[in-house]
Amino acid sequence: MTLAPPERDDEDLLLSSYAFALPAELIAQAPSERRDASRLMVLDRRSGTVTDAVFTDLAKFLPPGLIVVNNSRVVPARVMGRRESGGKVEFLLTTPLPHIEPSDAPGTRDGHVADVACLLKSSKKVREGETVLLGEDLHATILERGAYGQCRAKLTWRGNLPDRLLSEGVMPLPPYIKRPQSAEDAERYQTVYARPEKAGSIAAPTAGLHFTPEVRQSLLESGFTWAEVTLYVGYGTFSPVRCEDIRDHVMHREYCEIPEETAKKVTEAKRNGRPVTAVGTTAARTLEGVAAERGSVVPFKGWTDIFLYPGKTIRVVDHLLTNFHLPESTLLMLLAAFAGRKTVLDAYAKAVAEKYRFFSYGDAMLIL
């Protein structure tokens, strides 16, 4: 049964209350040698007790129940382009591929055009109306500029857009990874259960990066049930909170899907008292967003902008498997909604002292 939410105090609503010191050397720059070789911190939110383990120990700590993962696939949506004047421009497509609505580009053969959202990064501001060249048969004309590099653009391409991105783009690794990309990133910045037909995320659901087929099989053999949702990870992952009162923060919408089979499994698990474990904050937001809007977990295709922080009700998720997140991030606030801010920050302090690896390619935390 899902625990009652932790009591909230005034400091839980302040952005500065989610700051913590993180040495740069603890920010993982590369994945572990093996996916399932990552460390696992197990936090009992009732007692605050912390146990150090490794990811392959996962089944030892979880009572058999339902495991829900996000099966979205990351696309190589970052393209290094250039202005017609020759200046370099970094283009990041932020519209999920399934929501790009192409039309035929006039005067071309096999040409397509669509309005998309993107992020631009360049030494000099790209003007509205300017075209950015993104490679062979791919370019973007800037229609409207927004804050913090956000733009609306007319994307024009020939052939198949996913193929164009595979040809011209790279995986959108987070900005705190300071090394050049390697061939390994194309495989390791992707979960082993990501479905090709669910391509569209611009960031990985990183809690799932630790899973191997062997770990999944061992869980099934131990009595666990597996279910999948889809949330196309979007710009919200990169968008910092810029207001001191976190209640003033506006979450960006992300598109999610819960298939009928998953909705049935969640309903059955809750009815039978079997715990629901969300693998990652994206799976948790999908389940909780739909439950908040519809009253329960039902088949769903649509948008969620749910923002979970202390005082918000957790309706579905009993246990949460996650990575270690950025200071002052909405992901850290979600953990605080689930386990209490002080409990989470105490565990993070131990993680820093024990030199756990942080962020996307880092270690894992299981909150019971």
Side-chain angles (χ1 to χ4, degrees):
M1 181 179 294
T2 306
L3 294 179
E7 291 187 7
R8 186 178 77 187
D9 60 36
D10 291 341
E11 290 187 0
D12 289 338
L13 301 176
L14 301 179
L15 176 62
S16 54
S17 296
Y18 296 88
F20 62 91
L22 180 65
E25 62 268 21
L26 297 186
I27 300 174
Q29 296 297 307
S32 58
E33 185 175 348
R34 295 195 338 267
R35 288 179 182 268
D36 58 8
S38 298
R39 297 171 70 185
L40 175 68
M41 173 180 280
V42 182
L43 170 63
D44 186 328
R45 55 186 165 138
R46 299 169 182 81
S47 64
T49 301
V50 169
T51 304
D52 297 312
V54 294
F55 193 78
T56 49
D57 291 334
L58 182 62
K60 297 179 182 178
F61 294 95
L62 276 176
L66 177 65
I67 293 179
V68 183
V69 303
N70 179 7
N71 62 14
S72 69
R73 188 170 185 84
V74 186
V75 294
R78 177 172 284 127
V79 184
M80 302 308 298
R82 62 180 176 86
R83 308 171 78 159
E84 293 178 315
S85 61
K88 294 181 179 179
V89 179
E90 181 180 303
F91 172 94
L92 177 63
L93 178 67
T94 58
T95 300
L97 289 184
H99 291 278
I100 293 177
E101 299 180 356
S103 56
D104 292 338
T108 66
R109 180 182 177 185
D110 195 28
H112 309 281
V113 63
D115 277 12
V116 300
C118 62
L119 291 176
L120 292 184
K121 188 176 181 181
S122 58
S123 58
K124 293 184 179 180
K125 184 177 179 179
V126 179
R127 302 180 303 275
E128 292 180 359
E130 189 173 352
T131 295
V132 177
L133 307 176
L134 301 173
E136 185 178 358
D137 295 325
L138 181 67
H139 62 268
T141 301
I142 307 309
L143 301 175
E144 182 180 357
R145 291 194 61 96
Y148 310 110
Q150 299 176 75
C151 295
R152 187 171 65 88
K154 181 177 73 173
L155 190 67
T156 304
W157 70 95
R158 287 174 62 89
N160 179 269
L161 181 56
D163 289 344
R164 292 269 66 78
L165 293 175
L166 283 171
S167 173
E168 308 293 347
V170 296
M171 296 298 277
L173 295 183
Y176 47 73
I177 294 180
K178 302 299 185 182
R179 59 170 174 80
Q181 284 204 33
S182 68
E184 182 185 34
D185 291 312
E187 184 255 335
R188 290 298 301 272
Y189 195 62
Q190 201 82 263
T191 64
V192 297
Y193 47 76
R195 294 187 179 272
E197 68 272 20
K198 300 300 183 182
S201 285
I202 63 169
T206 55
L209 296 180
H210 308 283
F211 278 86
T212 62
E214 293 77 16
V215 168
R216 175 180 173 176
Q217 186 60 35
S218 70
L219 289 168
L220 295 176
E221 291 173 354
S222 298
F224 289 86
T225 306
W226 186 271
E228 299 181 1
V229 298
T230 305
L231 183 138
Y232 295 104
V233 187
Y235 173 69
T237 284
F238 301 93
S239 180
V241 180
R242 296 185 172 93
C243 43
E244 178 60 10
D245 188 330
I246 63 175
R247 292 172 296 184
D248 295 332
H249 176 69
V250 178
M251 286 288 286
H252 287 75
R253 298 190 312 157
E254 292 171 305
Y255 192 83
C256 63
E257 301 173 354
I258 298 180
E260 183 176 357
E261 179 184 5
T262 294
K264 288 180 178 178
K265 287 181 178 179
V266 172
T267 300
E268 182 179 349
K270 301 305 287 185
R271 182 172 59 241
N272 295 334
R274 285 169 57 84
V276 174
T277 299
V279 176
T281 56
T282 59
R285 290 185 66 240
T286 301
L287 295 172
E288 297 297 336
V290 172
E293 180 174 325
R294 298 295 177 86
S296 62
V297 176
V298 295
F300 183 84
K301 289 185 178 182
W303 298 87
T304 183
D305 61 357
I306 191 169
F307 180 22
L308 294 170
Y309 54 84
K312 295 289 187 176
T313 300
I314 305 296
R315 294 174 168 83
V316 182
V317 178
D318 299 291
H319 307 309
L320 179 62
L321 180 68
T322 185
N323 277 23
F324 292 93
H325 301 294
L326 278 73
E328 299 184 332
S329 64
T330 59
L331 306 181
L332 186 58
M333 294 166 193
L334 185 154
L335 268 60
F338 192 71
R341 178 180 58 86
K342 293 177 182 177
T343 299
V344 170
L345 289 180
D346 284 348
Y348 268 48
K350 179 175 174 58
V352 169
E354 298 292 332
K355 298 188 182 306
Y356 275 76
R357 287 156 42 93
F358 276 66
F359 305 164
S360 294
Y361 274 147
D363 296 314
M365 169 185 269
L366 173 64
I367 304 178
L368 299 174

